Amino acid sequence: MSFKINSKVAACGGQFLKLSHQSNVTKCSMDVNVYLPRQYFQRKDEKNNQGAKKQIPTIYYLSGLTCTPQNASEKAFWQIQADKFGFAMVFPDTSPRGDVIPGDPEKSWDFGLGAGFYINATKVPFNKNYKMYDYVHKELPMELSNYFNENLIDFIDNVSITGHSMGGFGAISGFLQNLNKYKSCSAFAPILNPLNVPWGQKAFNGYFNDANLEGGKHDPTELIQSTKYLSTKEILIHIGTNDPFLKNQLKPELFLDKVKGTEWESHIDLEMVEGFDHSYYFISSFVPQHAEFHAKHLGLLN
Amino acid sequence: MSFKINSKVAACGGQFLKLSHQSNVTKCSMDVNVYLPRQYFQRKDEKNNQGAKKQIPTIYYLSGLTCTPQNASEKAFWQIQADKFGFAMVFPDTSPRGDVIPGDPEKSWDFGLGAGFYINATKVPFNKNYKMYDYVHKELPMELSNYFNENLIDFIDNVSITGHSMGGFGAISGFLQNLNKYKSCSAFAPILNPLNVPWGQKAFNGYFNDANLEGGKHDPTELIQSTKYLSTKEILIHIGTNDPFLKNQLKPELFLDKVKGTEWESHIDLEMVEGFDHSYYFISSFVPQHAEFHAKHLGLLN
């Protein structure tokens, strides 16, 4: 399947492509934004003259509850960092969408549309479309790689993952399940122990036939105990001390408790930052640090 | 009158204050956001120990049609520049607002609420509240100066002004009418000759008894001919070549035509930037250049 370009928007030294495509996995049309950094356009020019160089790596950004690909594109301000270090950004949607997709955001903003939780649902009726795990970690990278077939951007191998809140959960969960795929992982105010908080329980009970068993395979606090540390891998996390969801939904203390004593302990940097909340003001404030962290792992600082 | 703090939001190294206050000029409650840069908090600490230093200067940002103080606060990303150079930012609203204020945004998004055009209306019924010129250039700076009475921030004397679209018009128009007040002026995609374009004509015919006479006193293309150049003053303007309003609403060619041959000619830098549109993606891409331009005029680069 191919992509439809809904718009091209110049930003900083590069360009946002606002795309949509028919997904075989979620069985609906999916929106996705891609930021092509200035290096992409430079190499495109060079390539015509001089041939290929090392490919531009990609960072996948998973958004939080209720978001579309637009929110982070407009407010997280990754583009200036992408231009600085030379990586592409991919902003997927947070769920399948459309009139025929189950889930009613007017009744429930934290489940269903805009709240896919980056897992593969097994429970009827969500198991037909809510396959965001396969979509984000498998289909989307392949489709982007096929579409941008000039070999200028690496969407599959030299890639990292990050996200916010529900997307921070999705990033850490997806990273720990795909350590050979992602070079590094970071998260802004992630839901770290969904099995034990209202947002996570509602999602896992709604999407899974067996919330504890199936959800446990995605829960970062469970995974960090069962996933063997792999050399060079690191996780960077920021959480604001004024985040209104800190105590009831994020649970960094439960995660850190399970990290303690594992090989991961010295490779996870969880920073509580004084006064910050859960908003894009918080995210955009720490994007420069996350960008540099990923740039190091993607080989861009050499 | 004093300000009510609706929220304090940590961002980058400083803090957004989301304020509201009762205006004697617009005779209603006005929202305004202020970004206090990291230097403000540093000096606050220092002051307790060491006494006063040079005050932190202020840049006023006037937003475009339909905007509230939130849009630019969230999407223009001035805060990282404010922290870099050490200036405060003020984001006023675009009109008086409230149930009793005339203007119906459902019938008309480009006149009335969210579209005050930074002038003092003379026509009934708008002449009671639509006094955005006096509000932005006189009352608001005085009120802020009285409220932040620690003498750490200069809201009145060492100040510059910028804005987008309708706010770009408001910035240039206000600058040319107050050359002794503002150190420098910049604009993103400003409406440069409102007398000759639909947005401007609708506003001037709606707010003024005599659109040509009264509007002419605010029109940048008129003002630039009648305003004597004042030493050190400069205007920086960026407009995207893909701006959908370029031809029908902005009219840089009419403005530049009148600039030609005046003393202003070598002090106005109007850059057409390839591929950019009218959005905050465009604004945020050039905020760093505008910040450095104003920093120079505000004495922050010495």
Side-chain angles (χ1 to χ4, degrees):
Chain A
M1 303 277 177
S2 191
F3 288 85
K4 181 181 159 222
I5 301 177
N6 299 307
S7 65
K8 296 181 181 187
V9 184
C12 294
Q15 193 177 63
F16 274 98
L17 293 184
K18 302 196 171 183
L19 306 169
S20 57
H21 67 131
Q22 191 63 32
S23 164
N24 289 326
V25 169
T26 66
K27 298 189 172 45
C28 65
S29 177
M30 299 292 293
D31 288 342
V32 57
N33 290 353
V34 175
Y35 181 72
L36 303 170
R38 64 178 174 81
Q39 291 83 352
Y40 170 80
F41 298 96
Q42 286 169 356
R43 299 218 189 151
K44 215 167 168 170
D45 289 342
E46 286 169 17
K47 209 181 166 187
N48 296 331
N49 305 321
Q50 301 169 18
K53 278 195 187 180
K54 194 183 165 193
Q55 285 179 294
I56 290 166
T58 299
I59 299 178
Y60 290 83
Y61 179 95
L62 306 185
S63 294
L65 289 166
T66 77
C67 288
T68 70
Q70 311 307 345
N71 305 66
S73 301
E74 291 176 353
K75 298 180 185 176
F77 217 61
W78 277 96
Q79 54 269 35
I80 201 164
Q81 302 299 322
D83 279 1
K84 178 178 177 184
F85 294 110
F87 52 76
M89 288 294 305
V90 175
F91 301 91
D93 207 344
T94 50
S95 77
R97 292 186 196 262
D99 293 342
V100 300
I101 307 294
D104 182 346
E106 297 212 353
K107 281 190 196 152
S108 175
W109 59 269
D110 55 0
F111 180 76
L113 299 183
F117 266 84
Y118 307 104
I119 52 82
N120 293 332
T122 54
K123 200 170 185 173
V124 175
F126 299 98
N127 60 344
K128 187 183 166 202
N129 309 98
Y130 283 78
K131 302 284 185 188
M132 289 300 289
Y133 181 90
D134 283 351
Y135 173 72
V136 161
H137 301 293
K138 297 174 187 171
E139 187 191 41
L140 180 60
M142 284 303 297
E143 292 289 319
L144 288 170
S145 195
N146 291 336
Y147 179 68
F148 291 89
N149 59 7
E150 323 122 304
N151 281 324
L152 290 176
I153 301 179
D154 184 342
F155 289 104
I156 293 180
D157 292 316
N158 197 23
V159 299
S160 290
I161 192 162
T162 184
H164 172 233
S165 195
M166 172 184 77
F169 150 71
I172 299 172
S173 177
F175 175 71
L176 291 172
Q177 295 176 73
N178 296 277
L179 280 183
N180 284 313
K181 178 175 172 60
Y182 296 108
K183 295 286 190 267
S184 51
C185 173
S186 76
F188 306 83
I191 303 168
L192 284 163
N193 192 192
L195 279 177
N196 283 316
V197 301
W199 279 341
Q201 288 163 348
K202 184 171 179 180
F204 288 0
N205 283 312
Y207 293 131
F208 294 131
N209 290 312
D210 186 328
N212 278 330
L213 184 68
E214 297 176 278
K217 293 177 183 169
H218 290 276
D219 187 305
T221 298
E222 299 285 315
L223 281 168
I224 205 69
Q225 303 168 73
S226 59
T227 309
K228 195 175 152 40
Y229 176 72
L230 186 65
S231 176
T232 79
K233 305 293 173 174
E234 290 183 311
I235 302 175
L236 173 65
I237 301 170
H238 281 92
I239 302 177
T241 59
N242 282 358
D243 191 317
F245 306 114
L246 173 57
K247 285 192 180 158
N248 291 330
Q249 306 282 9
L250 307 187
K251 297 285 184 194
E253 68 285 1
L254 298 181
F255 178 71
L256 287 177
D257 187 56
K258 299 300 182 187
V259 165
K260 204 178 282 180
T262 70
E263 273 194 276
W264 282 104
E265 191 169 359
S266 55
H267 304 287
I268 293 176
D269 179 6
L270 191 158
E271 297 185 23
M272 298 300 303
V273 281
E274 187 65 31
F276 285 89
D277 63 15
H278 199 72
S279 70
Y280 282 94
Y281 292 110
F282 155 64
I283 300 170
S284 61
S285 299
F286 293 95
V287 157
Q289 284 184 44
H290 287 236
E292 187 167 358
F293 166 80
H294 290 298
K296 180 185 75 179
H297 286 277
L298 293 166
L300 293 170
L301 298 188
N302 306 333
Chain B
M1 303 274 176
S2 191
F3 289 85
K4 182 182 158 217
I5 300 177
N6 299 306
S7 65
K8 297 181 181 188
V9 184
C12 295
Q15 192 177 64
F16 274 99
L17 292 186
K18 302 195 172 181
L19 305 170
S20 57
H21 67 131
Q22 190 65 29
S23 164
N24 289 326
V25 169
T26 66
K27 297 189 173 44
C28 65
S29 177
M30 300 292 294
D31 288 342
V32 56
N33 290 352
V34 175
Y35 181 72
L36 303 169
R38 63 178 174 81
Q39 289 85 351
Y40 170 81
F41 297 96
Q42 286 168 356
R43 298 218 190 150
K44 214 167 169 172
D45 289 344
E46 285 169 18
K47 210 183 165 186
N48 295 333
N49 305 319
Q50 298 169 19
K53 279 195 185 177
K54 193 182 166 195
Q55 285 180 295
I56 291 166
T58 300
I59 299 178
Y60 289 83
Y61 178 96
L62 306 185
S63 295
L65 289 166
T66 76
C67 287
T68 70
Q70 311 307 343
N71 303 66
S73 302
E74 291 176 353
K75 298 180 183 176
F77 216 61
W78 277 96
Q79 55 268 35
I80 201 166
Q81 302 299 323
D83 279 1
K84 180 178 175 184
F85 294 110
F87 53 76
M89 289 293 305
V90 175
F91 301 91
D93 206 343
T94 50
S95 78
R97 291 185 194 264
D99 292 344
V100 299
I101 308 294
D104 182 345
E106 298 212 351
K107 282 191 195 151
S108 176
W109 58 269
D110 54 2
F111 180 77
L113 299 183
F117 266 82
Y118 307 105
I119 52 84
N120 292 332
T122 54
K123 200 171 186 171
V124 174
F126 299 99
N127 60 344
K128 187 183 166 201
N129 309 97
Y130 284 77
K131 303 282 185 188
M132 290 300 289
Y133 181 90
D134 282 350
Y135 173 73
V136 161
H137 301 293
K138 297 176 187 169
E139 187 191 40
L140 180 60
M142 283 304 296
E143 292 290 320
L144 289 170
S145 195
N146 291 337
Y147 180 69
F148 291 90
N149 58 7
E150 323 122 306
N151 282 323
L152 290 175
I153 302 181
D154 185 342
F155 288 105
I156 292 181
D157 292 317
N158 197 24
V159 298
S160 290
I161 191 161
T162 183
H164 171 234
S165 195
M166 172 183 75
F169 151 71
I172 298 173
S173 177
F175 175 70
L176 291 173
Q177 294 176 73
N178 296 277
L179 279 183
N180 284 314
K181 176 176 172 62
Y182 296 108
K183 296 285 190 268
S184 51
C185 172
S186 77
F188 305 83
I191 303 168
L192 283 163
N193 191 192
L195 281 176
N196 283 315
V197 301
W199 279 341
Q201 287 163 348
K202 184 171 179 179
F204 287 1
N205 282 313
Y207 292 131
F208 294 131
N209 290 312
D210 186 328
N212 278 331
L213 183 69
E214 297 176 277
K217 294 178 183 168
H218 290 278
D219 187 306
T221 298
E222 299 286 314
L223 281 169
I224 205 69
Q225 303 168 73
S226 58
T227 309
K228 193 173 155 40
Y229 176 72
L230 185 65
S231 176
T232 79
K233 305 294 171 174
E234 292 183 310
I235 302 175
L236 173 65
I237 301 170
H238 280 91
I239 302 177
T241 60
N242 281 357
D243 190 317
F245 306 114
L246 172 57
K247 285 191 182 160
N248 291 330
Q249 307 280 9
L250 308 187
K251 298 285 186 194
E253 69 284 2
L254 298 181
F255 178 71
L256 287 178
D257 187 54
K258 299 299 182 188
V259 166
K260 204 179 283 178
T262 71
E263 274 193 276
W264 282 103
E265 190 169 1
S266 56
H267 305 286
I268 293 177
D269 179 7
L270 191 158
E271 298 186 23
M272 299 298 305
V273 283
E274 186 66 31
F276 284 89
D277 63 15
H278 199 73
S279 71
Y280 282 94
Y281 292 111
F282 155 64
I283 299 169
S284 61
S285 298
F286 293 96
V287 158
Q289 284 184 44
H290 287 236
E292 189 169 356
F293 165 80
H294 291 298
K296 181 185 76 180
H297 285 277
L298 294 166
L300 294 170
L301 299 188
N302 306 333

